[in-house]
Amino acid sequence: MAAKSQPNVPKAKSIDSITNDRTASQGQWGRAWEVDWFSLGSIIFLLLCAPFIVYYFIMACDQYSCALTGPVVDIATGRAQLSDIWAKTPPITRKAAQLYTLWVTFQVLLYTSLPDFCHKFLPGYVGGIQEGAVTPAGVVNKYQINGLQAWLLTHLLWFANAHLLSWFSPTIIFDNWIPLLWCANILGYAVSTFAMVKGYFFPTSARDCKFTGNFFYNYMMGVEFNPRIGKWFDFKLFFNGRPGIVAWTLINLSFAAKQRELHGHVTNAMVLVNVLQAIYVIDFFWNETWYLKTIDICHDHFGWYLGWGDCVWLPYLYTLQKRTLRQGVSEAELQFDPRPPGPGAHTPVLSLGKAPLDPFPLVPQGLYLVYHPVQLSTPHAMGVLLLGLVGYYIFRVANHQKDLFRRTDGRCLIWGKKPKVIECSYTSADGQRHHSKLLVSGFWGVARHFNYVGDLMGSLAYCLACGGGHLLPYFYIIYMAILLTHRCLRDEHRCASKYGRDWERYTAAVPYRLLPGIF
Ligand code: NDP
């Protein structure tokens, strides 16, 4: 529920006045009001290409054993046509639609109907009703923080099913992976479109809406800042955290289960990626209150970028490693069932045995799904684990330092010492002057976004766990490097607009963005 930070907030303006009255707003530090050609081009590119990028990766795994060049080579050499590839793509199914509906409904229920209980018995965990940051219009929203509880209950149910109830197979996510992709897309587009319409016609907080006059930009980057339904259903918190991030660990578990089903064991690489990513996910929910103060929640508006991104991009591309890791069987162990394409032909029928490989060399490569073993040597596995844990340590400590510093208003110790501070101020759209502080100690004195470096080290560890056989799992580190570099520049631009000369003092004190001496 939105509560005001100051009692004398002016009455809400009409949508038109918000659309046009840029000078009236002093809170110019949020999302852009104007779109340059480069931003517009990038947005149109992403709107058009991102769904195909996801499809391409998932299809390359399904039909070409995760060989990214496979489809292009086949089409270029005439061995396959686009229509062949499309014909082999599993369609949406009733089962997938039911599963997905059940999944999202379950998460909505956990989010809206089950007030947090965990903070009552878990020492150090901050849950229950918490406040977000001051929005550009000067609003402070309240949130029901119960993500850890939702994650725990969901996983408890998952393990209860796997070991006791047997309602469904633990490989269910893997087995319906592409049909579920269509469902996720439907939800992603529906929620983004709904958020856009809502922003225009019935926004939760009209003063925090932003319109650029460009339809594509508004659709992609969002109009409403914090769209809500009712008192507690906050779109950003829900879609960012659940269903995508709760699903992340379940998807990993389902892939591990599939690997065991196919090969009789789970490789150490699969275990490593499961463990490292589970740490990241549990950390996210343990620190959900901190998450309210991150860019996603306190600066980004809710549009396609978050709506579709959380429903499709995150669960499908953040878990690519496991798609490769399931290939943990040697070629000689595979026996193919060369049944002609037909219903269900997309699902490779494999059985373990000693059949000769490649019985139909002229059949397109995608039908084969040749599996490669990824069992890491002990030094390789230990190296990956170390990199992942050091990355996580930097990520967590850096984020904790800023959070602690902001929560205590600087009255804390950072690396055992009183922190160095830059006092700063900014003005929100309601004309109120606010004061804040920038931390210049700890990791925030090493570089201005050293928390991203920790994240990047962790991301690299997931990729290195997949060995060097495929380019595809390395997509994640490439994507994260682009995402976080762009995010860093975007955030710095916003902070410079928000804090003006105070931000310049910070950049003078801490000259590097990510890596000291380099960038
Ligand atoms: P940050 O947590 O770094 O938040 C940036 C904000 O912090 C700034 O806008 C500013 O906000 C405030 N700030 C900046 N410098 C200082 C300082 N020196 N002292 C105090 N406050 C400061 O960014 P994100 O929200 O992007 O990232 C949070 C974490 O989430 C990161 O570790 C990142 O790696 C991770 N992440 C992961 C993603 C993934 O897909 N896996 C995607 C995005 C992020 P204010 O206006 O309040 O001053």
Side-chain angles (χ1 to χ4, degrees):
M1 178 63 183
K4 277 75 186 174
S5 60
Q6 301 289 338
N8 299 324
V9 176
K11 272 178 72 182
K13 298 173 188 173
S14 72
I15 295 291
D16 284 346
S17 70
I18 286 173
T19 307
N20 304 316
D21 181 14
R22 288 178 45 226
T23 47
S25 164
Q26 291 174 297
Q28 292 294 307
W29 37 271
R31 203 206 72 183
W33 291 92
E34 285 172 348
V35 191
D36 56 56
W37 284 104
F38 178 75
S39 303
L40 185 58
S42 313
I43 277 162
I44 291 177
F45 171 81
L46 281 174
L47 279 172
L48 289 176
C49 296
F52 289 103
I53 293 173
V54 178
Y55 171 73
Y56 189 90
F57 275 97
I58 302 306
M59 174 275 295
C61 274
D62 192 49
Q63 299 184 25
Y64 288 85
S65 275
C66 299
L68 279 179
T69 48
V72 176
V73 170
D74 267 13
I75 289 169
T77 55
R79 275 199 290 178
Q81 292 187 336
L82 280 178
S83 53
D84 301 328
I85 291 176
W86 182 249
K88 277 186 272 162
T89 302
I92 191 167
T93 59
R94 180 189 286 265
K95 183 179 177 188
Q98 285 169 341
L99 265 177
Y100 197 73
T101 310
L102 198 68
W103 165 248
V104 177
T105 310
F106 181 53
Q107 290 306 316
V108 170
L109 285 176
L110 288 177
Y111 178 56
T112 51
S113 318
L114 217 58
D116 187 67
F117 191 67
C118 289
H119 72 278
K120 298 195 173 156
F121 67 91
L122 284 175
Y125 170 68
V126 182
I129 294 167
Q130 300 293 330
E131 284 189 349
V134 182
T135 71
V139 174
V140 177
N141 286 301
K142 284 192 180 359
Y143 295 84
Q144 173 65 260
I145 296 298
N146 59 2
L148 184 67
Q149 174 175 279
W151 186 88
L152 285 171
L153 286 174
T154 306
H155 284 70
L156 212 65
L157 206 63
W158 178 272
F159 284 110
N161 171 71
H163 298 290
L164 297 170
L165 306 169
S166 299
W167 287 338
F168 53 86
S169 161
T171 61
I172 193 167
I173 302 176
F174 177 91
D175 295 337
N176 293 279
W177 195 228
I178 295 185
L180 285 171
L181 172 64
W182 307 132
C183 304
N185 267 285
I186 291 172
L187 181 66
Y189 277 96
V191 77
S192 314
T193 308
F194 177 75
M196 172 96 163
V197 172
K198 182 175 174 327
Y200 273 95
F201 296 106
F202 49 103
T204 305
S205 169
R207 287 166 301 155
D208 265 317
C209 286
K210 279 199 174 180
F211 303 85
T212 57
N214 185 291
F215 172 83
F216 297 110
Y217 191 88
N218 288 344
Y219 185 68
M220 169 119 177
M221 298 309 288
V223 167
E224 263 206 90
F225 192 48
N226 290 303
R228 285 187 168 206
I229 290 181
K231 193 174 173 185
W232 295 113
F233 190 85
D234 183 272
F235 279 52
K236 268 201 283 188
L237 189 64
F238 178 77
F239 283 100
N240 273 333
R242 320 76 171 285
I245 298 187
V246 178
W248 191 346
T249 34
L250 290 186
I251 293 166
N252 289 353
L253 287 170
S254 185
F255 287 175
K258 191 69 188 181
Q259 193 181 60
R260 189 157 64 187
E261 182 187 288
L262 286 174
H263 316 307
H265 72 288
V266 177
T267 64
N268 61 359
M270 177 66 99
V271 172
L272 259 179
V273 177
N274 261 264
V275 168
L276 289 174
Q277 293 192 345
I279 293 173
Y280 194 74
V281 168
I282 295 169
D283 174 278
F284 174 86
F285 287 116
W286 183 273
N287 295 291
E288 202 178 12
T289 303
W290 151 79
Y291 183 63
L292 297 180
K293 305 289 164 63
T294 64
I295 294 174
D296 284 346
I297 298 285
C298 56
H299 303 313
D300 285 341
H301 287 234
F302 188 86
W304 184 87
Y305 170 73
L306 287 179
W308 181 86
D310 292 330
C311 290
V312 180
W313 188 272
L314 191 157
Y316 276 84
L317 291 192
Y318 282 29
T319 54
L320 273 178
Q321 291 90 1
K322 268 70 58 184
R323 257 340 248 208
T324 311
L325 291 177
R326 73 186 173 89
Q327 301 171 354
V329 67
S330 72
E331 292 178 355
E333 289 175 305
L334 294 174
Q335 179 177 326
F336 289 89
D337 178 348
R339 284 184 287 186
H346 53 268
T347 309
V349 181
L350 293 170
S351 61
L352 297 175
K354 299 289 175 201
L357 189 72
D358 201 2
F360 298 99
L362 296 178
V363 177
Q365 187 187 0
L367 287 177
Y368 287 92
L369 277 176
V370 179
Y371 291 79
H372 302 280
V374 181
Q375 178 72 24
L376 303 172
S377 66
T378 306
H380 187 156
M382 294 309 285
V384 167
L385 183 64
L386 191 69
L387 179 68
L389 292 179
V390 172
Y392 171 71
Y393 173 81
I394 295 174
F395 164 85
R396 173 56 18 236
V397 172
N399 286 320
H400 175 70
Q401 284 176 345
K402 190 188 79 174
D403 187 45
L404 178 72
F405 172 77
R406 280 282 170 92
R407 269 192 289 116
T408 58
D409 198 27
R411 287 184 288 276
C412 60
L413 295 180
I414 301 290
W415 286 349
K417 289 190 198 141
K418 202 166 171 290
K420 285 192 210 150
V421 173
I422 288 180
E423 299 283 345
C424 50
S425 60
Y426 61 94
T427 310
S428 55
D430 55 13
Q432 298 288 336
R433 195 87 186 140
H434 302 265
H435 293 276
S436 189
K437 290 182 166 74
L438 292 169
L439 173 62
V440 194
S441 299
F443 282 122
W444 297 85
V446 176
R448 300 199 293 271
H449 268 104
F450 209 66
N451 52 346
Y452 290 176
V453 174
D455 211 343
L456 289 172
M457 287 167 71
S459 306
L460 182 62
Y462 311 153
C463 302
L464 290 173
C466 300
H470 284 276
L471 176 66
L472 183 128
Y474 289 84
F475 165 79
Y476 187 67
I477 181 65
I478 296 168
Y479 161 72
M480 284 298 283
I482 296 171
L483 174 91
L484 292 180
T485 308
H486 178 253
R487 198 175 176 89
C488 177
L489 298 172
R490 198 159 60 95
D491 185 50
E492 299 233 326
H493 177 72
R494 196 194 59 81
C495 286
S497 319
K498 181 176 177 180
Y499 296 123
R501 297 187 68 129
D502 295 333
W503 185 255
E504 284 172 23
R505 284 165 54 218
Y506 179 48
T507 58
V510 185
Y512 290 99
R513 293 182 176 102
L514 288 177
L515 287 173
I518 299 174
F519 177 65

